[in-house]
Amino acid sequence: MGQTIPVKSSWSFRDRYLDVLASVYIYNEHRGYTALDRVLEAVRACHPDDHEFIAQIEKHRADEYKHYMMFKRWFERQGKMPLALDRRVGHIDRFILKAFGCEIDELDTGSIIARKQDFEKLCRVIILTEQRGLRQVEILLENAHVLADPIMARIFRIVHKDEPDHFEPYAQWLTRTGREGPRWIEKWTDFWIHRALLFGHIPAIFLDPGMARMDHWPHEEDAETGIPPEQTLAA
């Protein structure tokens, strides 16, 4: 019998898969913790005495930052920068645009404070986005390409452990204050955003060998908003 020749393309497929996956996550984790600054601003203004809810959101923000830093260190170990992606891969970007008719950066916190139904809607968007994230991480933790990279697998195990704390506080707050949970139209929007990303834009990125890479880290442009120092947890 002839000698079996290793198929190198499978490894290049895995490398590209993880490269795109980590780039998508580093964009969304950065977008997540910076967007939560606006949520904190609204909650502190609307419900200044709800210290538990505020503390839960602060933890959510800290977790998103921690996840961002873990993916950043993964890229540093690879000796390369993430792919230069934009809001087209952002689930929360697309959801905010659909729900409020504007980009996250244009979201008027003052208007949300003045219109309580808008703040409730914002909570519902966060709930659905984070629940979607948890289901996706559970799928990735069964993915052979992810499991073949011990560091990547560990990152997603940490993310999976943290995720319930990211939607439960908002759901509990809505229930505790007699507000409505996610509506069917919002669930439908979440479903189609996910489908568009999973079967449209992200595959297009995977198939684009000329995709540019970032020339600096996203957090280097963060405003001074009390971002916690780098976590010492080694992924």
PDB file of all heavy atoms in Angstrom, residues 195-222:
ATOM      1  N   ARG A 195     -29.026  34.182  12.114  1.00  0.00           N
ATOM      2  CA  ARG A 195     -28.959  33.456  10.838  1.00  0.00           C
ATOM      3  C   ARG A 195     -28.149  34.232   9.802  1.00  0.00           C
ATOM      4  O   ARG A 195     -27.338  33.646   9.071  1.00  0.00           O
ATOM      5  CB  ARG A 195     -30.370  33.209  10.298  1.00  0.00           C
ATOM      6  CG  ARG A 195     -31.260  32.388  11.188  1.00  0.00           C
ATOM      7  CD  ARG A 195     -30.953  30.918  11.136  1.00  0.00           C
ATOM      8  NE  ARG A 195     -31.370  30.316   9.888  1.00  0.00           N
ATOM      9  CZ  ARG A 195     -31.355  29.003   9.641  1.00  0.00           C
ATOM     10  NH1 ARG A 195     -30.938  28.172  10.588  1.00  0.00           N
ATOM     11  NH2 ARG A 195     -31.753  28.511   8.483  1.00  0.00           N
ATOM     12  N   ALA A 196     -28.351  35.550   9.762  1.00  0.00           N
ATOM     13  CA  ALA A 196     -27.627  36.376   8.791  1.00  0.00           C
ATOM     14  C   ALA A 196     -26.131  36.348   9.053  1.00  0.00           C
ATOM     15  O   ALA A 196     -25.320  36.289   8.120  1.00  0.00           O
ATOM     16  CB  ALA A 196     -28.155  37.809   8.834  1.00  0.00           C
ATOM     17  N   LEU A 197     -25.755  36.379  10.333  1.00  0.00           N
ATOM     18  CA  LEU A 197     -24.340  36.321  10.675  1.00  0.00           C
ATOM     19  C   LEU A 197     -23.745  34.951  10.380  1.00  0.00           C
ATOM     20  O   LEU A 197     -22.677  34.837   9.783  1.00  0.00           O
ATOM     21  CB  LEU A 197     -24.146  36.650  12.162  1.00  0.00           C
ATOM     22  CG  LEU A 197     -24.393  38.093  12.587  1.00  0.00           C
ATOM     23  CD1 LEU A 197     -24.370  38.217  14.109  1.00  0.00           C
ATOM     24  CD2 LEU A 197     -23.359  39.020  11.974  1.00  0.00           C
ATOM     25  N   LEU A 198     -24.453  33.907  10.793  1.00  0.00           N
ATOM     26  CA  LEU A 198     -23.926  32.545  10.718  1.00  0.00           C
ATOM     27  C   LEU A 198     -23.827  32.041   9.287  1.00  0.00           C
ATOM     28  O   LEU A 198     -22.883  31.311   8.933  1.00  0.00           O
ATOM     29  CB  LEU A 198     -24.808  31.608  11.548  1.00  0.00           C
ATOM     30  CG  LEU A 198     -24.240  30.229  11.874  1.00  0.00           C
ATOM     31  CD1 LEU A 198     -22.954  30.359  12.694  1.00  0.00           C
ATOM     32  CD2 LEU A 198     -25.270  29.402  12.635  1.00  0.00           C
ATOM     33  N   PHE A 199     -24.778  32.431   8.447  1.00  0.00           N
ATOM     34  CA  PHE A 199     -24.816  31.884   7.091  1.00  0.00           C
ATOM     35  C   PHE A 199     -24.529  32.923   6.015  1.00  0.00           C
ATOM     36  O   PHE A 199     -24.554  32.600   4.827  1.00  0.00           O
ATOM     37  CB  PHE A 199     -26.183  31.240   6.822  1.00  0.00           C
ATOM     38  CG  PHE A 199     -26.467  30.072   7.733  1.00  0.00           C
ATOM     39  CD1 PHE A 199     -27.389  30.188   8.753  1.00  0.00           C
ATOM     40  CD2 PHE A 199     -25.792  28.873   7.572  1.00  0.00           C
ATOM     41  CE1 PHE A 199     -27.639  29.113   9.610  1.00  0.00           C
ATOM     42  CE2 PHE A 199     -26.037  27.801   8.412  1.00  0.00           C
ATOM     43  CZ  PHE A 199     -26.962  27.921   9.440  1.00  0.00           C
ATOM     44  N   GLY A 200     -24.248  34.147   6.426  1.00  0.00           N
ATOM     45  CA  GLY A 200     -23.979  35.194   5.462  1.00  0.00           C
ATOM     46  C   GLY A 200     -22.635  35.862   5.640  1.00  0.00           C
ATOM     47  O   GLY A 200     -21.647  35.523   4.983  1.00  0.00           O
ATOM     48  N   HIS A 201     -22.566  36.799   6.561  1.00  0.00           N
ATOM     49  CA  HIS A 201     -21.379  37.639   6.652  1.00  0.00           C
ATOM     50  C   HIS A 201     -20.152  36.895   7.153  1.00  0.00           C
ATOM     51  O   HIS A 201     -19.048  37.090   6.631  1.00  0.00           O
ATOM     52  CB  HIS A 201     -21.665  38.839   7.556  1.00  0.00           C
ATOM     53  CG  HIS A 201     -20.631  39.915   7.435  1.00  0.00           C
ATOM     54  ND1 HIS A 201     -20.384  40.576   6.250  1.00  0.00           N
ATOM     55  CD2 HIS A 201     -19.754  40.415   8.338  1.00  0.00           C
ATOM     56  CE1 HIS A 201     -19.412  41.450   6.434  1.00  0.00           C
ATOM     57  NE2 HIS A 201     -19.010  41.369   7.689  1.00  0.00           N
ATOM     58  N   ILE A 202     -20.307  36.050   8.161  1.00  0.00           N
ATOM     59  CA  ILE A 202     -19.127  35.366   8.711  1.00  0.00           C
ATOM     60  C   ILE A 202     -18.516  34.389   7.705  1.00  0.00           C
ATOM     61  O   ILE A 202     -17.282  34.367   7.541  1.00  0.00           O
ATOM     62  CB  ILE A 202     -19.468  34.682  10.051  1.00  0.00           C
ATOM     63  CG1 ILE A 202     -19.756  35.768  11.106  1.00  0.00           C
ATOM     64  CG2 ILE A 202     -18.334  33.771  10.520  1.00  0.00           C
ATOM     65  CD1 ILE A 202     -20.190  35.245  12.454  1.00  0.00           C
ATOM     66  N   PRO A 203     -19.306  33.575   6.983  1.00  0.00           N
ATOM     67  CA  PRO A 203     -18.697  32.743   5.931  1.00  0.00           C
ATOM     68  C   PRO A 203     -17.981  33.571   4.865  1.00  0.00           C
ATOM     69  O   PRO A 203     -16.947  33.143   4.334  1.00  0.00           O
ATOM     70  CB  PRO A 203     -19.897  31.994   5.344  1.00  0.00           C
ATOM     71  CG  PRO A 203     -20.867  31.915   6.473  1.00  0.00           C
ATOM     72  CD  PRO A 203     -20.732  33.226   7.188  1.00  0.00           C
ATOM     73  N   ALA A 204     -18.522  34.747   4.551  1.00  0.00           N
ATOM     74  CA  ALA A 204     -17.870  35.602   3.559  1.00  0.00           C
ATOM     75  C   ALA A 204     -16.490  36.047   4.053  1.00  0.00           C
ATOM     76  O   ALA A 204     -15.534  36.130   3.269  1.00  0.00           O
ATOM     77  CB  ALA A 204     -18.746  36.821   3.266  1.00  0.00           C
ATOM     78  N   ILE A 205     -16.376  36.312   5.350  1.00  0.00           N
ATOM     79  CA  ILE A 205     -15.082  36.670   5.928  1.00  0.00           C
ATOM     80  C   ILE A 205     -14.118  35.493   5.831  1.00  0.00           C
ATOM     81  O   ILE A 205     -12.952  35.645   5.464  1.00  0.00           O
ATOM     82  CB  ILE A 205     -15.257  37.092   7.398  1.00  0.00           C
ATOM     83  CG1 ILE A 205     -16.052  38.395   7.485  1.00  0.00           C
ATOM     84  CG2 ILE A 205     -13.893  37.260   8.084  1.00  0.00           C
ATOM     85  CD1 ILE A 205     -16.489  38.745   8.887  1.00  0.00           C
ATOM     86  N   PHE A 206     -14.609  34.310   6.151  1.00  0.00           N
ATOM     87  CA  PHE A 206     -13.790  33.104   6.108  1.00  0.00           C
ATOM     88  C   PHE A 206     -13.196  32.899   4.720  1.00  0.00           C
ATOM     89  O   PHE A 206     -12.039  32.481   4.568  1.00  0.00           O
ATOM     90  CB  PHE A 206     -14.652  31.900   6.500  1.00  0.00           C
ATOM     91  CG  PHE A 206     -13.895  30.605   6.546  1.00  0.00           C
ATOM     92  CD1 PHE A 206     -13.285  30.171   7.717  1.00  0.00           C
ATOM     93  CD2 PHE A 206     -13.791  29.801   5.421  1.00  0.00           C
ATOM     94  CE1 PHE A 206     -12.576  28.980   7.769  1.00  0.00           C
ATOM     95  CE2 PHE A 206     -13.096  28.610   5.451  1.00  0.00           C
ATOM     96  CZ  PHE A 206     -12.477  28.195   6.630  1.00  0.00           C
ATOM     97  N   LEU A 207     -13.976  33.196   3.688  1.00  0.00           N
ATOM     98  CA  LEU A 207     -13.565  32.934   2.311  1.00  0.00           C
ATOM     99  C   LEU A 207     -12.787  34.089   1.688  1.00  0.00           C
ATOM    100  O   LEU A 207     -12.405  34.011   0.522  1.00  0.00           O
ATOM    101  CB  LEU A 207     -14.801  32.618   1.456  1.00  0.00           C
ATOM    102  CG  LEU A 207     -15.564  31.340   1.851  1.00  0.00           C
ATOM    103  CD1 LEU A 207     -16.875  31.253   1.073  1.00  0.00           C
ATOM    104  CD2 LEU A 207     -14.713  30.102   1.619  1.00  0.00           C
ATOM    105  N   ASP A 208     -12.539  35.141   2.460  1.00  0.00           N
ATOM    106  CA  ASP A 208     -11.830  36.305   1.935  1.00  0.00           C
ATOM    107  C   ASP A 208     -10.378  36.272   2.424  1.00  0.00           C
ATOM    108  O   ASP A 208     -10.070  36.739   3.525  1.00  0.00           O
ATOM    109  CB  ASP A 208     -12.517  37.587   2.398  1.00  0.00           C
ATOM    110  CG  ASP A 208     -11.847  38.837   1.848  1.00  0.00           C
ATOM    111  OD1 ASP A 208     -10.852  38.705   1.109  1.00  0.00           O
ATOM    112  OD2 ASP A 208     -12.313  39.952   2.165  1.00  0.00           O
ATOM    113  N   PRO A 209      -9.438  35.770   1.625  1.00  0.00           N
ATOM    114  CA  PRO A 209      -8.042  35.668   2.071  1.00  0.00           C
ATOM    115  C   PRO A 209      -7.346  37.016   2.188  1.00  0.00           C
ATOM    116  O   PRO A 209      -6.293  37.124   2.820  1.00  0.00           O
ATOM    117  CB  PRO A 209      -7.390  34.805   0.982  1.00  0.00           C
ATOM    118  CG  PRO A 209      -8.213  35.075  -0.244  1.00  0.00           C
ATOM    119  CD  PRO A 209      -9.623  35.254   0.256  1.00  0.00           C
ATOM    120  N   GLY A 210      -7.921  38.029   1.583  1.00  0.00           N
ATOM    121  CA  GLY A 210      -7.296  39.352   1.620  1.00  0.00           C
ATOM    122  C   GLY A 210      -7.799  40.239   2.745  1.00  0.00           C
ATOM    123  O   GLY A 210      -7.476  41.434   2.776  1.00  0.00           O
ATOM    124  N   MET A 211      -8.583  39.674   3.667  1.00  0.00           N
ATOM    125  CA  MET A 211      -9.129  40.470   4.763  1.00  0.00           C
ATOM    126  C   MET A 211      -7.994  41.103   5.583  1.00  0.00           C
ATOM    127  O   MET A 211      -7.064  40.416   6.006  1.00  0.00           O
ATOM    128  CB  MET A 211      -9.992  39.589   5.669  1.00  0.00           C
ATOM    129  CG  MET A 211     -10.559  40.279   6.897  1.00  0.00           C
ATOM    130  SD  MET A 211     -11.857  41.491   6.525  1.00  0.00           S
ATOM    131  CE  MET A 211     -13.132  40.416   5.859  1.00  0.00           C
ATOM    132  N   ALA A 212      -8.072  42.414   5.769  1.00  0.00           N
ATOM    133  CA  ALA A 212      -7.032  43.132   6.513  1.00  0.00           C
ATOM    134  C   ALA A 212      -7.104  42.805   8.003  1.00  0.00           C
ATOM    135  O   ALA A 212      -8.132  42.351   8.509  1.00  0.00           O
ATOM    136  CB  ALA A 212      -7.201  44.633   6.300  1.00  0.00           C
ATOM    137  N   ARG A 213      -5.991  43.056   8.686  1.00  0.00           N
ATOM    138  CA  ARG A 213      -5.936  42.857  10.131  1.00  0.00           C
ATOM    139  C   ARG A 213      -5.845  44.207  10.838  1.00  0.00           C
ATOM    140  O   ARG A 213      -5.453  45.216  10.240  1.00  0.00           O
ATOM    141  CB  ARG A 213      -4.734  41.975  10.508  1.00  0.00           C
ATOM    142  CG  ARG A 213      -4.885  40.551  10.007  1.00  0.00           C
ATOM    143  CD  ARG A 213      -3.818  39.622  10.556  1.00  0.00           C
ATOM    144  NE  ARG A 213      -4.043  38.269  10.040  1.00  0.00           N
ATOM    145  CZ  ARG A 213      -4.833  37.377  10.613  1.00  0.00           C
ATOM    146  NH1 ARG A 213      -5.453  37.679  11.749  1.00  0.00           N
ATOM    147  NH2 ARG A 213      -5.012  36.183  10.078  1.00  0.00           N
ATOM    148  N   MET A 214      -6.238  44.210  12.094  1.00  0.00           N
ATOM    149  CA  MET A 214      -6.143  45.429  12.893  1.00  0.00           C
ATOM    150  C   MET A 214      -4.687  45.875  12.996  1.00  0.00           C
ATOM    151  O   MET A 214      -3.782  45.036  13.025  1.00  0.00           O
ATOM    152  CB  MET A 214      -6.685  45.178  14.303  1.00  0.00           C
ATOM    153  CG  MET A 214      -8.159  44.862  14.375  1.00  0.00           C
ATOM    154  SD  MET A 214      -8.673  44.554  16.097  1.00  0.00           S
ATOM    155  CE  MET A 214     -10.431  44.237  15.860  1.00  0.00           C
ATOM    156  N   ASP A 215      -4.485  47.173  13.073  1.00  0.00           N
ATOM    157  CA  ASP A 215      -3.130  47.676  13.287  1.00  0.00           C
ATOM    158  C   ASP A 215      -2.926  48.166  14.715  1.00  0.00           C
ATOM    159  O   ASP A 215      -1.845  48.613  15.089  1.00  0.00           O
ATOM    160  CB  ASP A 215      -2.796  48.784  12.284  1.00  0.00           C
ATOM    161  CG  ASP A 215      -3.783  49.935  12.332  1.00  0.00           C
ATOM    162  OD1 ASP A 215      -4.578  50.017  13.301  1.00  0.00           O
ATOM    163  OD2 ASP A 215      -3.770  50.758  11.403  1.00  0.00           O
ATOM    164  N   HIS A 216      -3.997  48.079  15.533  1.00  0.00           N
ATOM    165  CA  HIS A 216      -3.888  48.371  16.957  1.00  0.00           C
ATOM    166  C   HIS A 216      -5.044  47.670  17.660  1.00  0.00           C
ATOM    167  O   HIS A 216      -6.020  47.270  17.027  1.00  0.00           O
ATOM    168  CB  HIS A 216      -3.908  49.877  17.228  1.00  0.00           C
ATOM    169  CG  HIS A 216      -5.207  50.535  16.838  1.00  0.00           C
ATOM    170  ND1 HIS A 216      -5.484  50.934  15.549  1.00  0.00           N
ATOM    171  CD2 HIS A 216      -6.314  50.842  17.568  1.00  0.00           C
ATOM    172  CE1 HIS A 216      -6.688  51.460  15.491  1.00  0.00           C
ATOM    173  NE2 HIS A 216      -7.216  51.417  16.708  1.00  0.00           N
ATOM    174  N   TRP A 217      -4.944  47.533  18.970  1.00  0.00           N
ATOM    175  CA  TRP A 217      -5.984  46.860  19.743  1.00  0.00           C
ATOM    176  C   TRP A 217      -7.158  47.794  19.994  1.00  0.00           C
ATOM    177  O   TRP A 217      -6.955  48.982  20.272  1.00  0.00           O
ATOM    178  CB  TRP A 217      -5.423  46.349  21.067  1.00  0.00           C
ATOM    179  CG  TRP A 217      -4.363  45.319  20.889  1.00  0.00           C
ATOM    180  CD1 TRP A 217      -3.018  45.480  21.028  1.00  0.00           C
ATOM    181  CD2 TRP A 217      -4.561  43.945  20.502  1.00  0.00           C
ATOM    182  NE1 TRP A 217      -2.368  44.300  20.763  1.00  0.00           N
ATOM    183  CE2 TRP A 217      -3.281  43.336  20.441  1.00  0.00           C
ATOM    184  CE3 TRP A 217      -5.692  43.166  20.219  1.00  0.00           C
ATOM    185  CZ2 TRP A 217      -3.108  41.997  20.098  1.00  0.00           C
ATOM    186  CZ3 TRP A 217      -5.522  41.828  19.878  1.00  0.00           C
ATOM    187  CH2 TRP A 217      -4.242  41.257  19.824  1.00  0.00           C
ATOM    188  N   PRO A 218      -8.393  47.274  19.914  1.00  0.00           N
ATOM    189  CA  PRO A 218      -9.572  48.132  20.103  1.00  0.00           C
ATOM    190  C   PRO A 218      -9.581  48.889  21.426  1.00  0.00           C
ATOM    191  O   PRO A 218     -10.007  50.044  21.479  1.00  0.00           O
ATOM    192  CB  PRO A 218     -10.742  47.139  20.036  1.00  0.00           C
ATOM    193  CG  PRO A 218     -10.232  46.017  19.186  1.00  0.00           C
ATOM    194  CD  PRO A 218      -8.769  45.895  19.523  1.00  0.00           C
ATOM    195  N   HIS A 219      -9.111  48.265  22.510  1.00  0.00           N
ATOM    196  CA  HIS A 219      -9.180  48.912  23.821  1.00  0.00           C
ATOM    197  C   HIS A 219      -8.273  50.135  23.911  1.00  0.00           C
ATOM    198  O   HIS A 219      -8.437  50.954  24.819  1.00  0.00           O
ATOM    199  CB  HIS A 219      -8.815  47.922  24.943  1.00  0.00           C
ATOM    200  CG  HIS A 219      -7.366  47.575  25.001  1.00  0.00           C
ATOM    201  ND1 HIS A 219      -6.797  46.584  24.238  1.00  0.00           N
ATOM    202  CD2 HIS A 219      -6.352  48.115  25.735  1.00  0.00           C
ATOM    203  CE1 HIS A 219      -5.506  46.515  24.497  1.00  0.00           C
ATOM    204  NE2 HIS A 219      -5.205  47.426  25.398  1.00  0.00           N
ATOM    205  N   GLU A 220      -7.346  50.279  22.968  1.00  0.00           N
ATOM    206  CA  GLU A 220      -6.447  51.436  23.004  1.00  0.00           C
ATOM    207  C   GLU A 220      -7.181  52.737  22.717  1.00  0.00           C
ATOM    208  O   GLU A 220      -6.652  53.819  22.995  1.00  0.00           O
ATOM    209  CB  GLU A 220      -5.307  51.230  22.011  1.00  0.00           C
ATOM    210  CG  GLU A 220      -4.370  50.084  22.401  1.00  0.00           C
ATOM    211  CD  GLU A 220      -3.321  49.775  21.344  1.00  0.00           C
ATOM    212  OE1 GLU A 220      -3.314  50.472  20.298  1.00  0.00           O
ATOM    213  OE2 GLU A 220      -2.520  48.851  21.554  1.00  0.00           O
ATOM    214  N   GLU A 221      -8.414  52.631  22.190  1.00  0.00           N
ATOM    215  CA  GLU A 221      -9.207  53.820  21.898  1.00  0.00           C
ATOM    216  C   GLU A 221     -10.346  54.009  22.894  1.00  0.00           C
ATOM    217  O   GLU A 221     -11.187  54.887  22.712  1.00  0.00           O
ATOM    218  CB  GLU A 221      -9.767  53.748  20.479  1.00  0.00           C
ATOM    219  CG  GLU A 221      -8.695  53.765  19.398  1.00  0.00           C
ATOM    220  CD  GLU A 221      -9.275  53.766  17.997  1.00  0.00           C
ATOM    221  OE1 GLU A 221     -10.520  53.677  17.873  1.00  0.00           O
ATOM    222  OE2 GLU A 221      -8.500  53.866  17.041  1.00  0.00           O
ATOM    223  N   ASP A 222     -10.392  53.169  23.923  1.00  0.00           N
ATOM    224  CA  ASP A 222     -11.456  53.290  24.916  1.00  0.00           C
ATOM    225  C   ASP A 222     -11.386  54.638  25.622  1.00  0.00           C
ATOM    226  O   ASP A 222     -10.302  55.154  25.903  1.00  0.00           O
ATOM    227  CB  ASP A 222     -11.351  52.187  25.986  1.00  0.00           C
ATOM    228  CG  ASP A 222     -11.741  50.819  25.439  1.00  0.00           C
ATOM    229  OD1 ASP A 222     -12.353  50.766  24.354  1.00  0.00           O
ATOM    230  OD2 ASP A 222     -11.429  49.815  26.099  1.00  0.00           O
TER     231      ASP A 222
END
